[in-house]
Amino acid sequence: MMKLKQLLYGCFAILALLTAGCKDDWDLNGEQIIEGDAQLSITVAFNQENTEIGTRTPAGGDKGDIMDDINTLYLVIYNKDGKLHGKYPVRGEGLTPHKDVSDVHYELTDNRTEQEREQGLQNNATGKVTFNLKLSSGNYYIYAVANVDDFDDKDVSTRDKLKALEFDWNKENTSNNSQMFGIFTFESDRNATDEEPLAISATTQQLHCWVRRLASKVTVAFDGSDLYDNVQIYITNIAIKDIPKICVLGNPNTPGPDNNDESEIDKRKKRYEAIHGVIETGKSIKIQELPTDITSIVPDNYLHICNNQHPYLGIDQDKGSIADAHGHQALSLFFYENMQGTGKDKAQSNDGNKIDFPNPDMEKEDSGWKDEKAYGTYIEVEGFYRCSSSSSHLGYGPIKFRYMLGQKPGENQPDNNYDAKRNTHYKLTLKFKGYGNDADWHIDYKEDPGIYITSPQYISYLYNKSMMATVKIVGEIEPGTTLHAEIVGTSNETEAAKSSETFWRPWGNGSDEYPNPDNASDPITPGNYYWRGTVHDDGPWNSFLSLKKTQLLVISDSIDDNAQNAKNKEYFTKNKKGTRDYII
């Protein structure tokens, strides 16, 4: 089954109110407060996710580190009744720090925790702010807000109003969506809550705050090492779809319809119009452009995924790895948090064979359209698929892979979570197997109606050899329909025969894709492997090819080449050796 890898530990900023001395005299339970002013030494640092750094040649998307900096920073403090005590500017262009804030410094540094260092997680230098704060003793709710424009003008008179602040997704400049929010606690806790106020005493105290970014990011990697031979997938574009228009600062962000009383179908249709709806397409990563002439889409000319030389799309000549594609600075697709809860299993097939929802339709409920999550965010990978195997899987055409974002399921648990949380790096690996069709990603692959056959076909020119050619018909046909096969030769009057009269000849047809042997590049095959001079009555009857079994060993005993060719043509034509009809 196609593997999905997802990194769920987030990209955090740490704010720590550190002790100036080595003794801590305040009551951890908040039962006793020593009166006076606390002199607090504060450190604010953003701790980004840690993986190896990779480089990629495609264009589009954004570098994964564009939201690492702390450009502006405020502390927002409320008393125990939830009333605003003060809004404290700390740093930012054009900002004057609050009178109780002093000694502000900013640097890029290693912000890993001791545990993360012990785990060997890679360091990526990120922003760090240090400063001092004077605060009277008392019970407070303390929050950190970073990278919010015009914060002085925001109404944050209550905690609820602070958390409910809304921000519109900036389509033009992704880095402007880097707003951050965090809650102070006594202990370093990535899952901190603010159920109770903090008891601040006059003695020196230590507080911590992990600041989380409202946005998350996705990186996509490919692994074709388990594809069958003769299967190639040419990726053209990776896009993030249906991303939230708006995100709230301190509450779970759940895009949805303006009117919950509307029908499910109406909600789906209006998802791009709703105030708290979604944007149809975020950023995309353009891998390559493919020509409209599919005959020129060949492995030598375009980036592709296969099972041998290019299992990872050929990026960096496949010297990289999946870890590189998921690196901290790798091209990424950013989006605001989108919490859509649980739902149906995302797998398109529970048994690995039968497609459970083969006809998703936006206007039909329970058809599997978007996994029944109209406002969910998903990744869409576009490309071109080709299988040139001489088997029933022969085919080619445009192909799309889609996956709805959410949290990674536990072991032996269904993949039914659609909560794309904030401050998370989602690492999706599209693991192709077999013919490239698998159960984890939804696949949209529709071939145009027509008759398909592997080309070229190979058959030995030794005597008494045979071969089977696989023909695939896409579309509806009437029972009893006749399929006509013909060896195209110079005597035929079809337009195809007039324009290309050598398809029946050995080796190739002289085209760029199937050239005639060249002694310089192929010394094994002689340049005169067949006569290239003028041939009387030239045609496939002289090539020992036939669509019907031939019993005769000698057609003519004439020693004259012209007479022999004439007899070959007469026998071939009279017995219709070059044509055959098959009842389907």
Side-chain angles (χ1 to χ4, degrees):
M1 180 174 288
M2 191 176 298
K3 296 180 179 178
L4 169 65
K5 296 181 180 178
Q6 179 187 103
L7 186 67
L8 294 178
Y9 55 81
C11 328
F12 295 97
I14 173 176
L15 287 80
L17 279 72
L18 304 176
T19 58
C22 59
K23 187 177 181 182
D24 198 331
D25 294 328
W26 108 100
D27 190 326
L28 288 175
N29 294 318
E31 295 177 355
Q32 176 184 355
I33 296 177
I34 300 175
E35 297 297 331
D37 291 337
Q39 299 294 331
L40 304 174
S41 175
I42 300 180
T43 300
V44 180
F46 184 71
N47 188 25
Q48 188 53 280
E49 70 277 346
N50 300 284
T51 49
E52 292 296 326
I53 296 175
T55 59
R56 301 188 65 171
T57 55
D62 294 286
K63 287 189 64 178
D65 60 354
I66 64 169
M67 295 187 184
D68 287 359
D69 288 339
I70 299 174
N71 299 313
T72 63
L73 177 66
Y74 283 80
L75 295 187
V76 188
I77 304 176
Y78 297 88
N79 62 26
K80 64 180 180 180
D81 297 323
K83 295 181 179 180
L84 181 64
H85 174 79
K87 187 190 295 185
Y88 290 67
V90 177
R91 80 175 300 267
E93 185 177 354
L95 286 181
T96 300
H98 189 277
K99 62 181 180 63
D100 291 331
V101 173
S102 60
D103 297 329
V104 179
H105 299 282
Y106 178 75
E107 62 179 330
L108 293 174
T109 188
D110 180 354
N111 295 316
R112 292 173 298 173
T113 64
E114 190 63 35
Q115 181 181 9
E116 288 169 340
R117 290 190 182 94
E118 293 174 357
Q119 292 173 347
L121 294 178
Q122 179 74 19
N123 169 56
N124 296 289
T126 51
K128 177 180 179 181
V129 183
T130 60
F131 61 95
N132 296 324
L133 173 69
K134 183 174 73 172
L135 183 64
S136 300
S137 59
N139 291 299
Y140 300 100
Y141 298 95
I142 306 176
Y143 304 93
V145 177
N147 300 341
V148 173
D149 294 336
D150 302 320
F151 188 64
D152 279 328
D153 300 330
K154 307 290 185 185
D155 180 4
V156 295
S157 55
T158 66
R159 293 194 297 148
D160 287 342
K161 288 182 178 180
L162 172 69
K163 294 180 182 180
L165 287 178
E166 293 184 347
F167 302 94
D168 296 328
W169 183 260
N170 188 312
K171 300 178 184 179
E172 286 70 35
N173 190 342
T174 304
S175 63
N176 286 346
N177 302 299
S178 60
Q179 302 90 354
M180 303 176 188
F181 178 77
I183 302 170
F184 278 96
T185 59
F186 289 127
E187 302 296 330
S188 178
D189 183 2
R190 293 181 187 268
N191 299 308
T193 65
D194 57 351
E195 294 178 357
E196 299 292 336
L198 301 175
I200 303 298
S201 292
T203 53
T204 303
Q205 304 178 43
Q206 179 176 335
L207 300 178
H208 293 269
C209 178
W210 291 95
V211 176
R212 300 198 303 160
R213 191 175 57 202
L214 274 59
S216 289
K217 71 178 185 180
V218 182
T219 52
V220 180
F222 304 94
D223 184 358
S225 56
D226 288 336
L227 284 171
Y228 289 144
D229 293 340
N230 301 313
V231 174
Q232 300 124 24
I233 301 174
Y234 300 79
I235 302 299
T236 57
N237 194 60
I238 307 167
I240 188 164
K241 300 274 192 172
D242 288 5
I243 65 172
K245 290 181 179 181
I246 291 171
C247 190
V248 292
L249 183 65
N251 295 322
N253 194 58
T254 305
D258 295 335
N259 183 1
N260 276 315
D261 293 331
E262 291 182 323
S263 69
E264 179 61 29
I265 303 305
D266 285 338
K267 292 177 185 178
R268 295 177 179 183
K269 291 179 178 179
K270 296 179 180 179
R271 68 190 188 281
Y272 301 136
E273 304 169 13
I275 296 174
H276 292 88
V278 292
I279 300 169
E280 183 174 6
T281 303
K283 287 286 187 76
S284 62
I285 300 172
K286 193 72 175 180
I287 304 297
Q288 61 190 331
E289 291 278 358
L290 295 179
T292 54
D293 178 13
I294 62 174
T295 61
S296 62
I297 304 176
V298 294
D300 288 343
N301 296 342
Y302 296 97
L303 290 172
H304 66 283
I305 302 164
C306 60
N307 67 356
N308 41 54
Q309 293 183 336
H310 304 293
Y312 308 120
L313 191 59
I315 301 298
D316 298 331
Q317 291 75 50
D318 281 297
K319 295 179 182 178
S321 66
I322 291 176
D324 291 336
H326 290 313
H328 173 58
Q329 291 185 345
L331 290 180
S332 305
L333 301 171
F334 287 85
F335 65 99
Y336 274 151
E337 177 179 65
N338 189 348
M339 306 289 282
Q340 294 294 322
T342 58
K344 65 175 289 296
D345 196 321
K346 299 176 187 177
Q348 65 171 350
S349 174
N350 284 316
D351 62 10
N353 295 308
K354 176 180 174 290
I355 302 300
D356 297 327
F357 297 92
N359 299 303
D361 188 338
M362 183 180 71
E363 300 196 13
K364 291 184 179 179
E365 292 190 46
D366 302 322
S367 67
W369 178 80
K370 275 195 69 179
D371 291 331
E372 308 298 332
K373 292 291 183 179
Y375 289 80
T377 297
Y378 67 97
I379 294 295
E380 180 177 87
V381 176
E382 296 180 87
F384 181 84
Y385 173 88
R386 171 181 281 135
C387 176
S388 57
S389 173
S390 298
S391 71
S392 59
H393 288 86
L394 163 73
Y396 59 85
I399 192 168
K400 290 181 181 180
F401 301 86
R402 298 186 183 95
Y403 186 82
M404 298 287 291
L405 294 178
Q407 298 306 102
K408 183 179 178 180
E411 187 175 357
N412 299 321
Q413 296 297 313
D415 188 6
N416 64 354
N417 184 283
Y418 297 84
D419 285 336
K421 294 184 177 181
R422 64 184 63 192
N423 205 65
T424 302
H425 180 179
Y426 289 90
K427 298 184 174 185
L428 303 186
T429 298
L430 189 45
K431 174 72 173 176
F432 299 104
K433 286 190 176 182
Y435 291 105
N437 300 321
D438 238 312
D440 286 349
W441 288 60
H442 292 281
I443 300 173
D444 183 0
Y445 174 60
K446 295 180 180 179
E447 294 176 290
D448 293 333
I451 300 174
Y452 297 86
I453 186 169
T454 302
S455 179
Q457 297 282 345
Y458 296 97
I459 182 172
S460 171
Y461 266 67
L462 296 176
Y463 292 104
N464 202 32
K465 296 295 181 179
S466 63
M467 62 160 287
M468 295 292 291
T470 298
V471 177
K472 182 169 74 172
I473 300 175
V474 178
E476 297 182 1
I477 58 174
E478 295 292 334
T481 298
T482 298
L483 177 66
H484 180 75
E486 182 176 348
I487 299 175
V488 179
T490 54
S491 67
N492 298 299
E493 296 302 324
T494 64
E495 289 299 319
K498 291 177 182 178
S499 60
S500 303
E501 298 180 340
T502 59
F503 288 145
W504 56 271
R505 292 189 185 277
W507 195 272
N509 63 359
S511 67
D512 291 338
E513 191 172 356
Y514 305 113
N516 290 317
D518 180 2
N519 245 152
S521 59
D522 183 11
I524 297 177
T525 304
N528 61 345
Y529 65 99
Y530 72 88
W531 175 251
R532 298 196 182 185
T534 302
V535 177
H536 179 71
D537 278 334
D538 195 14
W541 40 85
N542 294 328
S543 66
F544 308 107
L545 295 177
S546 171
L547 288 172
K548 299 172 182 174
K549 192 170 183 63
T550 300
Q551 303 295 331
L552 294 180
L553 298 179
V554 178
I555 295 175
S556 171
D557 56 5
S558 174
I559 61 175
D560 179 75
D561 286 342
N562 291 346
Q564 177 67 64
N565 291 348
K567 285 291 186 182
N568 287 345
K569 179 179 180 181
E570 179 185 357
Y571 177 82
F572 185 90
T573 304
K574 180 180 179 180
N575 293 281
K576 298 181 179 179
K577 293 293 185 177
T579 62
R580 187 166 180 177
D581 292 330
Y582 300 85
I583 305 298
I584 300 175

